[in-house]
Every structure is written in C-alpha cells, then in structure tokens.
C-alpha cells in the first residue's frame, strides 16, 4: 500500500471567507464581505470591502451528479462483506463534502460536512423514487449523530515521497474526498448506503418542501427524537454482510495440522485377499490389506498393511495369467487354467505393442518396465481403472468432441481411399496392356508423353533420347505404328510382320536409304563488320551462329546421355568432358534451354564454336563398334532396346502419379509420416482439459484419500504421487482408444488424447506421448517436483480469492530461527489452485519437496508460506477481539491493535468526539490522536493488509 496523507477538510475561496465559525448545534448565517486591496503609487495600500453577502448553502442543492463518485466500499451488490469494516464513498471533487457548509472551521480546526453517509438496514427502510431526489424513509435510531459528523469526512492524497508498488512505474491513485459511516455493521444483514444532506435546509430542498429561514442551518435530524423520517438521497448503493470475522481474525485461526489428525491422509486401505469372487483366496494372512495412495500424499510414509511379499507375488502371477490369456490363445498355446474367458485389459499395452506382461522379466529386462508396474500391482490398476471408468461414464460427450476434431482427417482418408482404388485399377491396366507391349509398340505408345519422360532427374527426355538414336525421327510416331499394324497396308505388301522394324531402327540394323549425319560441322570463320549495315548483318550472323552452336550443344549433350543409358560409358564420359569445357551452364544443355545457351554463347562465339567442332571431331573419329552392337555412330546412338523398353514401361506406371496427385490435394503435418502414401491417416483427438478436475468431480476421495476427515482451520503440505497420476492418465487413454476403435474412428490406438492432469495456467501438458515412455512408472510426469499446500478453514470459504505465496527463508544467524526473504521478486505464486470444496483449497507451488523436508538449518533454511490479503485495497474499520468477552490484557501496542471493544460507541456508532488512551507503543506529539481531527481518525481507522507466515517445517509434520 503506498504511503498516504490525510487532511481534515478543504474549502473553496468563498468558503474560506466565511467569518461565522462552526460549533456544536445549529450554525449561523454564512455571511462574508468580498474585498480587495488597492496599492497606491507611493506604495501604501488601502483595503476596500464590499457589501455583506450570504453564501449559497445546502438549501440550494437538489442533487449530486453521480459521475463525481469515484468509488464506494463495499462495492454495489457485494455480499459476504466483513462486518467489522466501515462503509465509505469517495468523490473526485476534493471540497465537495464541505462546499456548501455554511460555517468556517471551529476553534479546534474541525469542520462539519454538509452531506453525510448513512448506512441503514434494507428491511427497516424504504427508498422510493421522487422528484427532485429519491426519498429514504428510515427510523432515527439508524442515523448517526450529526454533532459527530466532523470526524467522518476527510481528504486522502498520496504522500509527496510515496514510492509506487512493485510492478508499477508510477503511482496511479488520485486525491479523493471521502465520507465514512461510523455505524458498526451486523453480520448476515442487508444494508442500504445513502448520501444525504446534514442540514435542515438541504433536507427541505431535497424533499421539495418550503425552506424555513429560521431553521435553514439546523441539523437535518436529531438523534434524541424518535420515529421515522424522510431524507432526500443524492447517491445510494446496497451491499450485504457475511458471517462474523474478517481476514485477519479468520487467518489467525489457521494452524499446521497435527500429525495424529492427518495420519493416513492420502491413502486408502484396500483388501486384496480375494481379488476375484470365483477364485480362491490368496495365500497369506487374511484380510490382506494394502495401502493404495491417491494423487496427493503427505510427506510421511504410507501405513503398512497386512499383505506380505508372498501375497503380492501371488496376485501378480494371477494377474499375469489373466492378462496373457488372449495372446496365448492367438498363438495357439493353451492359456493358464486360472484364466477366464474375458480377460482384463493390459493398460498401455497397445501403446508399446505389448500383448504380454511378465512377473519375472528375462535376463535383459524390457525398455518399458512401467507396463508391469502398472498392470501387475494393485495401486496401478486401481488408478488406471478410475480413468477407464471415467471414459465409460462420459463416452458420448467425449466422442462428440472427438468427431468434431477429425473432420479434415476423414476427408483426407476419403481421398486417399479413392486414390488407392484408382492406383489399383491403373496398376492392373498397366500390367495387362502396357507391360505386354513390344519395345517398338511401347515407344510409339509413349511418344505423346516423350517430352515429359526422363531416365532420371536432370537427364535427357525420352523424346531427345530417341531423336539422337539411329531410328528415323518419324518412325516413333503413332501414325507410323498404325501403318505397321498387323493387317495394315505395309504388312499386306510385305507379307510379313513388320512391327519389329522400330526395334531394328533403334539398334541401327535398319537405316534410312539416304541417311544424313546427325551432326553437321559448324562454320567457325571470323566475321568482320563495317558500317551500320555491316553491324546489322554482323548481329544477325552472330545470332544465327549462336543458335546453331546452341542446338549442337544440346544435341551433343543428348547424345552423351543416350550413350550413357545404352551402356557406352567411355564414349559418354569422353563427350561429357569436351562439353563441360565449353564455358556455359551444363544445366541449360541438359534442359535444352536454347535461349539461355544462345545468350551465353554470343559473347564467346569463337571459343564455343571451336569446342563444338572439337567435340564433333572426337565423336566422329571415336565412332566404332560392331554392326549390330551398341555403339556411338555419326547417325546416332545404337540403343539398348531392352533397357529402353524397361524404362518406358516403368515411366508409364500410373501408381506413382496417382499418389502424387492425391498428395497435392491433401496437406498433412509432418507427424503423420510420408505424404506420398495412400495409407489411411491415423489420428487421435486431443482433450486439453485438466483431468484432476474430472477426478475431483468423479472420485474426490482418490484425489486425496481421507480429505473428508481433514481438520478445519488447518494447513499441511502434500506431494504429488506421480505413479498414480501416470496410471490414471494411461487408463483414460487406453479405454478411450478402445472406444475410438469401436466407433470406427481413424486411429491406431496408440494416441495419447489425455496429457494434462493439473490445471496449469500456461496450458502445458503433464506427460509426453505414452508410446515414447521408457523406464519405471512415475518417471514421465512433467513438473512432478511440486508441492501442494492444503488449506481448510473459514478463511478459504469467506475469501475464495486468497492467494498464498511461497517465501524463501534465509538464515538469521547461528542458533536463530530462519526469517523470510523480504524481496517480493523471490516470492512464488501458485502454479494453480484446486477448490476441493467450499472451505478447502489446494495451492500448488513449483518447489522441490526435498527442499521442505527436515529441520531448517543455515544451509537449508526451508520455505515460508504466506497467507495475506490484498495489499492495495483501502478500507477503514477496526479489528474484532479474539475472545468474548475480550481479554483486558490483550496487546495494544499500535493503533493497528485497536478493536471495536476499545472504540467509544453510542447507539451502535463509533464516536469521534470521545478520547481513547493512545497505544503504549506510539508515544510522541506526532502520533495520531483519536479525538483531534478527522485526519487522525482516518489514519487510525485505515486497515493495513494482514499477513501470516508459517514455516514449511511445521507444515510437513515437524
């Protein structure tokens, strides 16, 4: 709370000019004479006064603009208000409460306001609308004494040297004028607070009555009279008080829970002696009880049950027999004789592909021993069963939310299914009608797409490869193939099967009658240009020769690529070396980009032409080989027909194209795997809701077993039972995945729909996906290093917004108790709060429980937990005595210890005009005094925020 200063009153210049002093009883006429001082040229002055004038008083006011009200406390409509506080109202106009007061301050510096705040019981009063102001009808016994009104109006301002609160760059409060009603409120009562006139003239004007001149400045009412009366109301609001007790009184009742009162808190005793009704009892003592802990546990060890080690081993083997029976039947092995027809589930088994569990693991234990810990021990199965039961109970609501999340996935699966059908049909057609074609027929079939078919990325197209072969260009067209069809004109004239003609042309066995070389030499003579016409001719010649060289380069590159495809590695490498010596981009040669090649060749036409000529000479001189074997000839490449046929058949395979087409229509995140797949997309819904709330609603005695017996007005520290939380979440996910499978949801049952247990403000998850778990149970809970402060008491019920803080402790010196760290930056606020019931709350802090164990020392001072009320709420009132009747020896060291039993009262109202002996701890002239002025009364009534700190050592049982 920033430092504040208080003033008793403020008046306008006209008010300060009033000569009539205010005192007890009615005041006189508020007369004053305006004047000025005349200064003469010689320096002397002469006062000049005007006629005596009268100030406008309360009789001239019929209402107040409600926009001038800054704040009212308690707020309008508030309930459960603490009865020991005083109601107040604040105005932004500092002189408003004294603006129409027809008097000057009295000899003691006190000034009565012209308006006062009254608080009356709603059931014993009536507020009805009227003109010019609403009218309040109430008994005089509910109204304060107006002789005492000077003490309950003041001005509040920030101190000049006040520092802003932590986190604020500057003070944001402003100066206000405040009215306080000194009435002591009663618990559980509805009240109406009203701002009314304090003078008779204001009352008569507000009620639209004739103003009596003789009574104009008298009190609006006298407390010595009886009966009801009417008062005009300038501003009003309502509120209600709650049970007796304020924050300070209620929080003082909190104490660390006694160890014997919380023995066994956090665990339940479960009898495991006969786990199945139709089965024989387990060996060992009966009943065989086992302590099963809930989600929250105390720092003490769990109580020992009667079940011994042999009993636990026996139940583990029986569980193993039941759980492994389905896998045994699938494998054709006889199941254990103790197994039943319907087996219980292996919780989490589907996530890690486990169909069996083992009591005695092999020499090399599995990487996921948590599966055995969860399924073969009763505590894990109890927790997982609770999660499964929640899913079964709320399956319809959960599935409705699940279907809302899978709309896009279902559409993606629909398109993939259509693509899979199309791929299957196309593969069948390809196998029956394309793979059976002869090589020549395959070349002809592929000719429309030959410019898009490549042997590999960056290689020459099929059309270019055939173009540089020994086959005549037109022979690879569908029209030529139709001429060669069986029964066609060519076949009838030749009286033989002419279809292999294309294959023979590709291998060089058949050549055109007048075959021309594939490449002609490039003219590489120097060009000279003279004059403008010569320059134009020079440019045209260069462009033409550059284009010719570019065409030769692309043809040579296609030749090298075709030779490489036909197995002529040496010839292809030799040609590639010559081509790569040309200072242009080889990528343009491979792609056939003539424009880019022409522009690159033009500046170096001579060099490029020479390299092309050299490459052609090497090609011609190196052309050799057998007549029917693959070779590089001047007329083209003799193609390996078998390799070409295989490439064409593979290139015309439709499945890959269909897959890519579907992938272009369906965009999936990377977590769904290969986008070039037609397999159904497997997804699971995500439920970010904190499941601790579900457990609290479904089975609160498993969130914290024994919570019903936790004593009132007590606090203790708890830890998180990570194995229970993990088992509960595994049970939720396992059962819901089974439900998804039953409802034909696109899932593989390995998802983790529920990953959040605690209601974290940042929405962070508590566990990683279950299928990634390794190691023992309890090692996968994120943020398990937290402690939970459990508080039960009236203070939680009365102040649900109370936020405790975890305060680091520091050593005060050898042999001294630790003290709290006063730096607010080191204080921790709760990660989350769980409301267990109306009077019980659990506050979680990010503190390692090991830090709170043991007796505090200089090296490990531990932590404090602070219970505090809001530090910036400005309220006025008095404490309540801890006992009734009050202890006469109770401390009274500061004004903060002042309680209602020490405050002078009359008719249920605090009286400002009676003295109180000052506290024994505040001597001196500067100390506040009760009956001096309203500023001192405001300083005394101001309620400072209260705080209680309890050390963690006390909260964990000592």
């Amino acid at each position: 709370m920033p430092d504040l200063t208080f003033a008793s009153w403020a008046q306008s210049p006209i008010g300060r000019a009033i000569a009539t002093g205010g005192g007890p009883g009615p005041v006189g006429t508020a007369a004053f004479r305006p004047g000025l001082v005349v200064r003469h040229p010689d320096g002397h002055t002469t006062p000049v006064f005007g006629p005596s004038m009268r100030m406008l008083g309360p009789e001239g006011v019929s209402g107040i603009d409600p926009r001038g009200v800054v704040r009212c406390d308690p707020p309008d409509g508030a309930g459960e208000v603490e009865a020991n506080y005083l109601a107040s109202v604040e105005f932004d106009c500092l002189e408003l409460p004294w603006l129409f007061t027809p008097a000057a301050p009295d000899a003691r510096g006190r000034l009565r306001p012209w308006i006062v705040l009254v608080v009356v019981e709603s059931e014993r009063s009536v507020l009805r609308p009227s003109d010019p102001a609403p009218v309040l009808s109430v008994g005089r016994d509910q109204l304060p004494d107006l002789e005492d009104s000077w003490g309950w109006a003041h001005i509040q301002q920030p101190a000049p040297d006040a520092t802003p609160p932590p986190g604020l760059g500057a003070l944001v409060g402003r100066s206000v004028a405040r009215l306080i009603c000194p009435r002591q409120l009663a618990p559980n009562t509805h009240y109406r607070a009203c701002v009314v006139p304090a003078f008779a003239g204001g009352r008569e004007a507000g009620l639209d009555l004739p103003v009596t001149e003789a009574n104009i400045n008298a009190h609006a009412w006298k407390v010595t009279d009886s009966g009801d009366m009417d008062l005009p109301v300038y501003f009003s609001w309502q509120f209600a008080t709650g049970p007796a007790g304020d924050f300070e009184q209620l929080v003082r009742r909190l104490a660390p829970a006694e160890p014997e009162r919380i023995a066994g808190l956090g665990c339940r005793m479960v009898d495991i002696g006969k786990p199945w009704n139709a089965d024989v009892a387990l060996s060992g003592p009966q009943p065989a009880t086992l302590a099963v802990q809930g989600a929250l546990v105390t720092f003490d060890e769990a109580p020992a049950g009667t079940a011994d080690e042999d009993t636990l081993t026996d139940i583990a083997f029986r569980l193993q027999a039941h759980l492994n029976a389905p896998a045994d039947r699938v494998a054709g092995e006889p199941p254990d004789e103790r197994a039943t027809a319907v087996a219980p589930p292996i919780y989490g088994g589907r996530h890690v592909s486990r169909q069996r569990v083992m009591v005695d693991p092999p020499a090399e234990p599995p990487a996921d021993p948590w599966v055995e810990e969860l399924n073969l021990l009763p505590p894990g199965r109890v927790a997982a069963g609770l999660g499964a039961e929640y899913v079964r109970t709320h399956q319809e609501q959960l599935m409705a939310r699940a279907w809302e999340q899978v709309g896009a996935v279902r559409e993606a699966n629909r398109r993939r299914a259509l693509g899979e059908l199309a791929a299957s049909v196309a593969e069948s057609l390809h196998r029956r009608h394309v793979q059976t074609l002869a090589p020549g027929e395959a070349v002809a079939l592929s000719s429309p797409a030959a410019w898009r078919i490549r042997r590999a990325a960056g290689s020459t197209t099929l059309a270019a490869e055939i173009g540089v072969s020994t086959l005549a260009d037109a022979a690879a067209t569908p029209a030529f193939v139709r001429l060669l069809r069986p029964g066609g004109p060519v076949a009838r004239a030749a009286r033989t099967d002419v279809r292999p003609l294309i294959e023979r042309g590709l291998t060089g066995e058949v050549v055109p009658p007048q075959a021309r070389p594939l490449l002609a030499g490039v003219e590489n003579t120097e060009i000279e240009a003279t004059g403008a016409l010569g320059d134009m001719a020079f440019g045209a010649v260069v462009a033409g020769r550059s284009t010719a060289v570019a065409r030769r380069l692309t043809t040579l590159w296609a030749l090298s690529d075709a030779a490489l495809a036909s197995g002529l590695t040496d010839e292809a490498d030799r040609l590639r070396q010559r081509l790569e010596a040309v200072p242009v981009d080889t990528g343009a040669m491979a792609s056939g980009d003539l424009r880019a090649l022409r522009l690159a060749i033009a500046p170096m036409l001579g060099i490029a032409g020479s390299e092309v000529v050299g490459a052609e000479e090497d090609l011609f001189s190196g052309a050799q080989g057998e007549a029917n074997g693959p070779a590089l000839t001047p007329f083209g490449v003799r193609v390996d027909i078998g390799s070409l046929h295989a490439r064409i058949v593979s290139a015309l395979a439709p499945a890959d194209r269909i897959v890519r087409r579907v992938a272009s229509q369906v965009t999936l995140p990377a977590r769904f795997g290969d986008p070039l797949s037609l397999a159904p997309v497997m997804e699971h819904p995500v439920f970010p809701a904190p499941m601790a709330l579900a457990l609290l609603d479904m089975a609160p005695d498993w969130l914290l077993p024994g919570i019903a017996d936790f004593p009132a007005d007590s606090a203790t520290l708890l830890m998180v039972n990570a194995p229970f939380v993990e088992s509960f979440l595994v049970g939720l996910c396992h059962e819901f995945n089974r439900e998804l499978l039953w409802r034909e949801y696109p899932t593989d049952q390995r998802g983790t729909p529920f990953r959040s247990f605690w209601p974290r403000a940042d929405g962070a998850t508590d566990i990683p996906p279950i299928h990634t778990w390794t190691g023992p149970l309890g090692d996968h809970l994120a943020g398990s290093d937290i402690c939970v402060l459990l508080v039960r008491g009236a203070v939680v019920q009365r102040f649900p917004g109370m936020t405790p803080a975890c305060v680091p402790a520091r050593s005060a010196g050898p042999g001294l108790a630790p003290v709290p760290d006063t730096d607010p930056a080191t204080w921790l606020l709760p990660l989350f709060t769980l409301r267990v019931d109306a009077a019980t709350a659990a506050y979680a802090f990010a503190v390692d429980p090991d830090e709170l164990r043991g007796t505090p020392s200089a090296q490990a001072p531990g932590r404090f937990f602070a219970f505090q009320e809001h530090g910036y709420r400005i309220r006025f009132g008095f404490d309540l005595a801890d006992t009734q009747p009050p202890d006469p020896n109770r401390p009274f060291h500061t004004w903060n210890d002042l309680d209602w039993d020490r405050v002078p009262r009359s008719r249920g109202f605090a009286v400002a005009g009676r003295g109180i002996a000052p506290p024994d701890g505040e001597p001196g002239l500067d100390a506040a005094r009760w009956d001096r002025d309203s500023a001192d009364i405001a300083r005394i009534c101001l309620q400072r925020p209260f705080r209680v700190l309890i050390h963690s050592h006390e909260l964990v049982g000592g």
Side-chain angles (χ1 to χ4, degrees), residues 488-640:
V490 177
R492 291 197 303 271
R495 297 182 181 182
T496 184
D497 188 0
V498 295
R499 285 179 297 173
L501 183 62
I502 294 179
E503 290 93 322
R504 296 172 64 190
L506 289 170
T507 58
E509 296 180 28
V510 176
V511 296
Q514 297 181 354
R516 291 181 299 174
L518 186 64
L519 294 166
V522 176
E523 184 179 353
N524 198 31
T525 59
E526 295 293 333
I527 307 172
E528 295 183 0
T530 57
L533 184 59
D535 291 340
M536 294 177 59
F538 176 79
V541 171
V542 169
R545 290 189 177 181
S546 299
T547 302
V549 172
R551 293 184 184 277
R552 299 297 195 279
L553 285 174
T554 57
T555 303
L556 289 170
W557 190 273
L559 272 171
S560 66
D561 204 46
L564 188 64
S566 297
L568 303 176
T569 307
D570 294 338
E571 291 84 348
D573 290 344
R574 186 172 63 252
L575 185 56
R576 284 281 176 92
Q577 291 177 0
R578 292 303 303 264
L579 293 176
E580 290 173 353
V582 181
V584 294
D585 182 19
T586 57
M589 297 184 202
S591 61
D593 189 349
L594 293 179
R595 182 176 182 277
L597 285 175
R598 178 176 61 80
L599 294 176
I601 290 170
M604 56 182 73
L605 181 59
I607 298 174
S610 299
E611 293 294 339
V612 169
V613 169
E616 292 178 354
E617 290 176 354
D618 287 350
L619 173 65
F620 299 150
S621 63
Q624 56 185 352
E626 300 177 0
N628 296 325
L632 192 60
T633 72
F635 302 101
V637 179
R638 292 177 177 174
V639 176
D640 182 355

Side-chain angles (χ1 to χ4, degrees), residues 83-404:
N84 58 305
Y85 290 117
L86 300 174
S88 64
V89 62
E90 299 172 3
F91 305 97
D92 59 358
C93 180
L94 297 186
E95 66 269 16
L96 179 62
W98 306 273
L99 184 62
F100 298 104
T101 298
D106 62 12
R108 302 184 64 178
R110 301 169 177 175
L111 183 63
R112 298 205 307 259
W114 71 276
I115 51 177
V116 294
L117 177 65
V118 299
V119 176
V120 298
E121 297 179 20
S122 299
E123 294 182 357
R124 297 175 55 201
S125 63
V126 176
L127 182 63
R128 62 181 184 275
S130 184
D131 188 50
V135 176
L136 173 69
S137 297
V138 66
R140 288 179 172 83
D141 61 323
Q142 297 194 67
L143 300 176
D145 189 349
L146 293 177
E147 289 289 348
D148 206 49
S149 61
W150 60 267
W152 306 107
H154 62 262
I155 295 172
Q156 172 191 300
Q157 294 175 305
D161 58 345
T163 58
L168 295 181
L171 290 173
V172 295
R174 56 178 172 173
S175 301
V176 295
R178 181 182 290 112
L179 296 176
I180 297 177
C181 179
R183 178 171 185 170
Q184 183 179 10
L185 306 178
N188 301 313
T189 306
H190 288 266
Y191 286 100
R192 180 179 288 116
C194 305
V195 177
V196 299
F199 291 90
R203 174 180 174 273
E204 292 170 350
L207 296 177
D208 200 19
L209 299 175
V211 178
T212 305
E213 187 68 25
N215 200 35
I216 192 172
N217 290 336
H219 292 317
W221 65 83
K222 295 181 180 180
V223 295
T224 55
D225 296 341
S226 60
D228 294 348
M229 67 175 306
D230 292 341
L231 291 171
V233 176
Y234 299 144
F235 181 79
S236 68
W237 77 95
Q238 298 188 62
F239 63 90
T241 57
D246 63 348
F247 181 87
E248 178 177 351
Q249 185 181 34
L250 297 179
V251 81
R252 285 183 184 274
R253 299 177 187 174
L254 286 180
E258 299 176 1
E260 60 272 10
R261 294 290 305 275
I262 59 172
L265 180 67
C267 65
R268 297 177 65 176
M269 302 305 294
V270 178
D271 185 4
I272 61 173
K274 190 175 181 181
W276 293 275
N277 292 331
D279 202 358
V280 298
L282 296 176
S283 59
Q286 295 291 333
T289 59
L290 179 67
V292 178
Q293 295 181 312
L296 295 174
V297 296
T298 64
F299 280 67
D300 297 329
E301 295 292 335
T306 60
D308 55 14
E309 193 66 29
D310 293 338
T311 301
L312 294 176
T313 302
D314 191 356
I315 195 173
F317 275 106
R318 296 197 188 193
L319 281 169
Q320 175 183 266
H322 285 274
L323 298 174
N324 293 347
D328 293 340
R329 291 190 176 95
V330 171
E333 303 173 4
D336 192 288
E337 60 182 10
R338 293 173 294 184
T340 55
V342 179
I346 300 178
Y347 293 111
R350 178 66 181 176
H351 289 88
V352 291
S353 301
R354 291 280 298 276
Q355 289 80 38
R356 288 185 172 87
V357 290
M358 300 169 288
V359 176
D360 295 324
E364 184 176 348
D368 43 25
W370 63 268
V371 178
E372 275 74 23
E373 295 179 43
L374 192 158
N375 288 281
L376 296 179
L377 296 177
R381 295 201 66 86
V382 167
L386 289 170
E389 180 61 26
Y390 177 84
V391 171
R392 288 191 290 269
T393 304
H394 301 86
Q395 55 182 310
E396 297 301 330
Q397 299 94 313
L398 293 173
M399 284 304 307
R401 299 296 180 270
W403 287 120
E404 292 174 359

Side-chain angles (χ1 to χ4, degrees), residues 43-66:
H44 77 279
T45 60
T46 303
V48 179
F49 295 96
S52 179
M53 303 182 69
R54 177 179 175 179
M55 188 188 79
L56 180 66
E59 71 279 359
V61 180
S62 60
I64 295 177
D65 190 343

